[in-house]
Amino acid sequence: MKKLNGTGVALVTPFKKNGKIDFNGLEKLVKYVLNNHVDYLVALGTTAETTTLKQEEKWDVIKCIQSANYKKLPLILGLGGNNTEDIVNKISSIKNLSDFYAILSVSPYYNNPSQEGIYQHFKSIVNCTETNIILYNVPKRTGSNIIPDTVLRLAFDFENIIGIKEASGNVLQSYRILKRKPKNFSVISGDDFITLPIILSGGEGVISVIAQGFPDKISHMISLAKRNDVKKAFSIFYNIMKIIDLIYEEGNPTGIKTFLSVIGICNPYVRLPLLVGTPSLRKRMLHSLNEINQ
């Protein structure tokens, strides 16, 4: 199967002021990134505030994204958790998994499993489906790290584990996976700040938060990096680095939703326990955006 390459977008779930899903905003966002050269879409990931969506809302979000996408780009479905049996049951119950290129599944959070426990968790998932699985390692949210040896063990043992979204923030960890991984296993950056080093060392691309704010710029930056045009790639990164700083200052997705509001894509509203971005954040984003556009 063709490897995932380039720029993936971790889509937000826009909300109205009353807390209901803003499907018009979601459709506008999908069309915006679709028309600006991104390579694939990620639905119901961390940035989508999936933990605060009801099950029915999740499938309404998927239907909206699928409709706006018109089957133009591969769609990745976020589906993970810390109850292995529950995740297996959810995957087994989905009737149209063929509509998705892969499932992005986060390492179990809160339970703090051992490396063998993490291995057995993903083994249970793989054994219940023929769908491609992308591991998602984000220790600052899960409380545990999938170490390179465990990643590589999973990669070599199961063909349909096709890659990892590596968001440990530790670029050396990515290097250790890249050095020894199977040929068809993809290392995908899950951190906008270290995407370029990961690509330049052999990674396939990024599942990005900022790419929905700057889809054309990020897609161009990734394309340049994959062609080893390092100077031009970093020129784009440095140009928007301040905005990347700002979108994480008050947490994700608060920051990116604030920025999407600034550029007129969707509302900035989030669900508790997250809070909407402050007026100060919005003001500084406007200032930085004006500097970029000069």
Side-chain angles (χ1 to χ4, degrees):
M1 180 167 284
K2 185 179 178 182
K3 294 170 76 173
L4 274 180
N5 268 294
T7 304
V9 179
L11 295 166
V12 303
T13 304
F15 296 121
K16 300 176 183 177
K17 192 171 184 179
N18 63 6
K20 294 185 181 297
I21 296 172
D22 176 10
F23 291 105
N24 289 333
L26 181 56
E27 182 178 352
K28 185 175 182 180
L29 173 62
V30 172
K31 289 182 177 178
Y32 175 57
V33 299
L34 197 68
N35 293 329
N36 282 281
H37 310 112
V38 304
D39 298 294
Y40 58 98
L41 306 175
V42 179
L44 301 182
T46 304
T47 306
E49 294 175 80
T50 305
T51 54
T52 61
L53 295 176
K54 300 179 183 69
Q55 191 58 49
E56 185 177 343
E57 289 178 319
K58 292 176 184 179
W59 291 114
D60 287 341
V61 165
I62 287 293
K63 289 173 188 174
C64 180
I65 293 171
Q66 287 176 318
S67 175
N69 183 39
Y70 297 118
K71 295 186 177 181
K72 290 182 179 178
L73 296 180
L75 183 61
I76 311 301
L77 174 64
L79 185 53
N82 64 345
N83 181 335
T84 306
E85 184 180 7
D86 182 55
I87 298 303
V88 167
N89 289 339
K90 284 180 178 176
I91 292 172
S92 300
S93 69
I94 298 172
K95 296 178 181 178
N96 298 316
L97 266 178
S98 59
D99 291 345
F100 305 100
Y101 183 89
I103 291 171
L104 175 67
S105 197
V106 70
S107 182
Y109 45 81
Y110 190 74
N111 309 56
N112 198 18
S114 66
Q115 293 300 306
E116 183 62 28
I118 291 171
Y119 177 90
Q120 293 297 333
H121 170 82
F122 283 112
K123 178 181 178 180
S124 296
I125 290 174
V126 169
N127 286 339
C128 81
T129 181
E130 295 181 359
T131 303
N132 295 321
I133 304 295
I134 301 170
L135 311 174
Y136 180 17
N137 187 38
V138 56
K140 64 185 175 183
R141 289 187 182 269
T142 64
S144 63
N145 181 38
I146 317 178
I147 66 170
D149 283 349
T150 304
V151 174
L152 292 163
R153 185 181 168 201
L154 287 163
F156 279 104
D157 285 356
F158 305 105
E159 286 187 3
N160 61 324
I161 294 183
I162 63 167
I164 184 168
K165 178 184 177 184
E166 215 336 290
S168 66
N170 182 352
V171 72
L172 288 176
Q173 181 153 303
S174 296
Y175 295 164
R176 291 184 176 112
I177 298 168
L178 284 161
K179 180 181 178 182
R180 297 163 51 202
K181 72 178 184 67
K183 182 178 180 181
N184 292 324
F185 184 83
S186 298
V187 176
I188 302 164
S189 174
D191 187 330
D192 284 310
F193 284 110
I194 58 174
T195 293
L196 290 179
I198 287 176
I199 291 174
L200 293 170
S201 58
E204 304 302 330
V206 62
I207 293 176
S208 171
V209 175
I210 191 59
Q212 60 205 301
F214 290 122
D216 194 44
K217 289 181 185 295
I218 297 298
S219 297
H220 188 207
M221 181 186 82
I222 301 304
S223 177
L224 288 167
K226 290 186 76 67
R227 298 201 303 263
N228 278 319
D229 198 335
V230 179
K231 190 172 182 180
K232 287 183 180 178
F234 270 101
S235 176
I236 294 172
F237 175 75
Y238 290 139
N239 184 239
I240 63 174
M241 189 169 69
K242 181 59 179 176
I243 292 286
I244 300 176
D245 266 328
L246 290 172
I247 69 165
Y248 291 108
E249 188 175 292
E250 294 183 10
N252 179 44
T254 291
I256 187 61
K257 281 190 163 183
T258 303
F259 186 66
L260 290 171
S261 174
V262 166
I263 63 176
I265 300 298
C266 65
N267 293 315
Y269 306 117
V270 291
R271 285 181 174 174
L272 285 171
L274 300 181
L275 297 175
V276 73
T278 60
S280 169
L281 180 65
R282 184 182 182 89
K283 183 178 179 180
R284 284 177 288 139
M285 283 182 172
L286 275 166
H287 178 74
S288 295
L289 185 61
N290 288 334
E291 288 185 336
I292 290 168
N293 291 333
Q294 282 179 357

